[in-house]
Amino acid sequence: MKKAGRISEANATLLPATSRKPAFAGLGHTRWATHGGVTDENAHPHLDCTGQIAVVHNGIIENWSELKKDLLARGHKFKSETDTEVAAHLIEEAITNKQLTINNFAEAVRKVFNQLEGLNAIVVYSPQLRAIIAFRNGSPLVVGVGEEEHYVASDIPAFLPYTRKVSFLEDGEGVILSNARDQKSDIRIVEAKTGKTKPPKVEEITWSAGEAELGEHPHYLIKEISEQPEILARLAQYSESDIKEVAKLIKGSFGTYFTACGTAAHSGLAATYLFSDLAKRHVNFAVGSEFYFLESFLVPKSLLIAASQSGETMDTLEAVRAAKKHRSKVVALTNVEGSSLTRLADKTLLLNCGPEKAVLATKSYTAKLALFLLLAAQMGGDLDAGRKLVKRSAKAVGELLNGGQIEKLTKRLRDSEHIYIIGRGVNYATALEAALKIKEVSYIHAEGFAGGELKHGVIALIEEGTPCLVFVANDHARSSALSNAKEIKSRGGFVIGVSPREDEVFDEWIKVPDVGEASAIVNVVPAQLLAYHLAVERGLDPDKPRNLAKSVTVK
Ligand code: F6R
């Protein structure tokens, strides 16, 4: 019996307490629907006709419909609309007439995995054998090595409370986790192409279990927002040699491109302004999902800088693969040691902000901004000035976290249908990021714009009382941003100014400390807090917004 819903609710909803038994293995999966709706039937795991092979899967099996047609013709019965289910039935066929041993089972899974086209990871469980076999190609999988138990997951935080010892699987590799009654617990790495096995290479990661726990906070989102001052203070001391090495790569490149998705993309957009302001250097930016359509610009001397908290976002990885195809160099900014991105990149700068568990990216965003600022400062010849700015922003974020103004504003905005947000210069990126934070967690429609774009159409949406957030930094974009605020006000909009300086145009003023060129780091924090409080106020779960996954590992 299975049900669509949260993994954490599985015990409570599926089995009456009397039928719960201690289990030998558990298989959980958060599905991001690609084939078929969010229904009980389409929930993972998927079983074969005998009910003895259970499969969870991440990715898209591109040749699933041909495979399914053939399986149906051979008499298999399907229960779901998913692409995943074909894998269970194919494994069933591959094992039929073979003695049921772990080696035969692993071999059947390997052969089937090689038949699946596309970028996929599968985890297959046989209760009879007490074995789990998993393979990856393009989708993440990492093995957690415990004392008497082992884990396989798409990212480390899934098992961080239990072990810090990990073995990273490469693309085209798999793992056999077995604990047959007559055998000692065992891990073997398998090559998907040849079936050759080897022992795992086990590494210890630097994150601690405590970092992935809630502690005194009610939600991960607010915990992670609150960690930013400490993270920024640490980043201000970032290794000089690493910053210099990447700055040298940028200097020596023939065209530098930034790419990333979602929140990370907003940090990339902000970076183009930081490089213009601090380094007087032109850099290009495109979101990951569009970057690979621009790849014809790339040459071996191009440099791609890919930013990704998880290091597993498929669109970002595909952009990196496009760059590698042209033999361009790749620098990664990521939070996850050993992630696919670090494996593809020539050089990695780690964000060092600890596991980010809330679906919304917050601390990883400001960490990326801080690193981009340090790189731009180094390129401009004054790394120390950059360090000072990051340090000042750490202190400023700390001050903002202690104010209570956002809770009051939340009450005013909680029933809004729309919120419009504008910024200029580097805070154009802040406007986009603020809108993303608000909409994804509170489900209030929020749109971010470059202030100058208002007059090109958006202003038609402003009515009496429409709430508009306006980012007005104390920089060369200040007067333009204030003019835009006036345009909103004269159409009846309710102007909430986020600024170090008060202005008569603001109906409400959120005072933020003045941190010069680091304004994007500080300005986003009131928006993060607003998004969090709006979700709480509207009775929503701030850590797990609907329809979203922490890492988007499909294209
Ligand atoms: C928004 C959010 C997403 C991610 C995006 C990229 O709060 O979390 O937009 O930023 O999916 O993820 P990473 O940084 O892991 O590549």
Side-chain angles (χ1 to χ4, degrees):
M1 184 180 170
K2 60 181 183 176
K3 256 186 138 27
R6 292 192 177 173
I7 292 176
S8 56
E9 289 160 8
N11 263 347
T13 56
L14 289 188
L15 290 177
T18 45
S19 23
R20 285 180 217 153
K21 292 189 200 126
F24 160 76
L27 215 51
H29 182 266
T30 301
R31 176 169 180 255
W32 196 83
T34 58
H35 295 67
V38 182
T39 62
D40 291 349
E41 293 73 27
N42 291 336
H44 292 219
H46 292 285
L47 306 180
D48 69 321
C49 296
T50 68
Q52 289 303 318
I53 295 164
V55 180
V56 296
H57 160 233
N58 189 6
I60 294 175
I61 300 173
E62 284 170 4
N63 53 338
W64 76 287
S65 71
E66 299 100 275
L67 293 170
K68 183 167 176 174
K69 217 161 86 198
D70 294 348
L71 284 161
L72 284 169
R74 294 198 291 272
H76 289 269
K77 299 270 179 288
F78 279 75
K79 297 204 172 91
S80 76
E81 304 156 283
T82 65
D83 51 342
T84 307
E85 198 179 338
V86 299
H89 294 283
L90 286 170
I91 297 165
E92 174 192 349
E93 283 193 349
I95 196 83
T96 306
N97 299 329
K98 300 233 163 66
Q99 202 195 344
L100 192 62
T101 62
I102 290 174
N103 284 349
N104 284 345
F105 180 52
E107 196 50 17
V109 176
R110 182 182 78 80
K111 284 198 174 132
V112 167
F113 184 71
N114 286 336
Q115 276 178 265
L116 310 180
E117 286 172 15
L119 302 172
N120 294 293
I122 58 170
V123 180
V124 187
Y125 174 50
S126 160
Q128 290 157 299
L129 288 168
R130 307 179 113 206
I132 285 178
I133 320 285
F135 278 94
R136 72 165 278 183
N137 178 34
S139 286
L141 269 190
V142 51
V143 181
V145 183
E147 288 300 318
E148 297 202 352
E149 73 292 327
H150 305 309
Y151 307 86
V152 60
S154 50
D155 63 16
I156 297 166
F159 52 69
L160 195 55
Y162 312 104
T163 183
R164 283 166 52 199
K165 289 195 187 137
V166 301
S167 175
F168 295 103
L169 295 182
E170 300 288 351
D171 276 340
E173 277 187 347
V175 65
I176 305 173
L177 303 179
S178 61
N179 188 3
R181 283 179 191 88
D182 55 342
Q183 262 183 290
K184 238 181 126 260
S185 169
D186 175 36
I187 305 181
R188 277 177 291 157
I189 304 298
V190 204
E191 216 175 84
K193 236 192 204 143
T194 60
K196 272 198 203 134
T197 61
K198 59 179 181 192
K201 195 171 142 241
V202 180
E203 300 168 40
E204 185 139 342
I205 51 134
T206 50
W207 289 347
S208 71
E211 282 179 289
E213 278 160 18
L214 266 178
E216 73 211 28
H217 297 280
H219 301 105
Y220 282 104
L221 183 54
I222 192 69
K223 171 184 185 255
E224 289 161 8
I225 291 172
S226 312
E227 285 169 1
Q228 294 176 109
E230 200 186 311
I231 294 165
L232 290 165
R234 211 164 48 226
L235 287 171
Q237 314 293 324
Y238 208 84
S239 140
E240 182 166 342
S241 61
D242 281 339
I243 296 289
K244 283 194 168 154
E245 189 182 336
V246 175
K248 198 166 154 209
L249 285 172
I250 298 173
K251 245 179 210 145
S253 73
F254 179 74
T256 302
Y257 300 82
F258 288 91
T259 198
C261 299
T263 288
H266 300 150
S267 76
L269 176 63
T272 62
Y273 291 91
L274 294 171
F275 272 70
S276 167
D277 289 345
L278 297 172
K280 316 288 175 240
R281 171 95 187 187
H282 169 72
V283 289
N284 304 278
F285 164 74
V287 291
S289 54
E290 286 299 314
F291 184 84
Y292 36 81
F293 300 121
L294 294 167
E295 65 169 286
S296 36
F297 288 121
L298 296 170
V299 292
K301 278 204 82 180
S302 313
L303 174 69
L304 177 67
I305 302 192
S308 168
Q309 187 285 127
S310 60
E312 300 295 352
T313 299
M314 189 56 76
D315 282 325
T316 307
L317 294 178
E318 285 292 279
V320 168
R321 289 185 185 113
K324 296 207 71 133
K325 204 170 75 198
H326 293 270
R327 289 181 289 120
S328 312
K329 278 234 159 16
V330 175
V331 170
L333 256 71
T334 182
N335 196 28
V336 183
E337 266 176 276
S339 57
S340 303
L341 183 56
T342 63
R343 278 146 197 277
L344 289 167
D346 300 289
K347 168 81 191 161
T348 295
L349 295 180
L350 282 175
L351 302 177
N352 293 337
C353 50
E356 195 175 60
K357 298 253 300 183
V359 166
L360 268 70
T362 52
K363 59 179 180 173
S364 63
Y365 178 66
T366 47
K368 285 184 203 116
L369 291 180
L371 277 185
F372 282 137
L373 193 148
L374 292 179
L375 284 171
Q378 169 63 29
M379 298 280 301
D382 198 349
L383 178 59
D384 275 346
R387 290 193 193 281
K388 281 189 189 125
L389 283 172
V390 175
K391 219 164 143 193
R392 264 169 69 194
S393 64
K395 190 164 166 275
V397 172
E399 286 167 28
L400 284 174
L401 293 174
N402 292 328
Q405 195 180 2
I406 301 298
E407 282 97 319
K408 265 198 264 150
L409 183 63
T410 306
K411 301 248 186 293
R412 189 181 195 285
L413 298 184
R414 59 155 287 161
D415 297 318
S416 305
E417 253 183 87
H418 311 282
I419 301 176
Y420 297 105
I421 305 174
I422 58 165
R424 303 205 67 157
V426 70
N427 285 294
Y428 164 37
T430 314
L432 297 182
E433 177 56 10
L436 180 60
K437 288 292 87 94
I438 291 170
K439 67 184 139 191
E440 66 186 337
V441 77
S442 74
Y443 313 150
I444 293 174
H445 170 233
E447 285 301 326
F449 304 96
E453 285 297 291
L454 273 176
K455 57 184 177 293
H456 297 294
V458 185
I459 201 131
L461 296 167
I462 309 298
E463 295 173 349
E464 198 58 41
T466 306
C468 299
L469 215 59
V470 183
F471 291 102
V472 189
N474 215 1
D475 61 10
H476 53 86
R478 178 179 164 83
S479 62
S480 312
L482 283 173
S483 312
N484 299 141
K486 283 178 191 130
E487 289 160 12
I488 292 171
K489 180 99 171 218
S490 43
R491 270 100 185 151
F494 179 78
V495 177
I496 305 152
V498 181
S499 178
R501 279 163 64 184
E502 194 168 14
D503 193 276
E504 61 184 13
V505 73
F506 300 153
D507 294 298
E508 173 133 2
W509 175 38
I510 300 175
K511 187 177 179 194
V512 291
D514 188 353
V515 289
E517 287 95 338
S519 64
I521 299 180
V522 171
N523 284 352
V524 76
V525 174
Q528 295 173 340
L529 289 169
L530 181 62
Y532 171 72
H533 289 296
L534 281 171
V536 173
E537 189 69 25
R538 288 161 67 93
L540 304 166
D541 181 347
D543 287 338
K544 294 199 180 78
R546 69 187 176 206
N547 299 340
L548 296 177
K550 181 65 185 157
S551 321
V552 184
T553 52
V554 288
K555 241 171 117 173

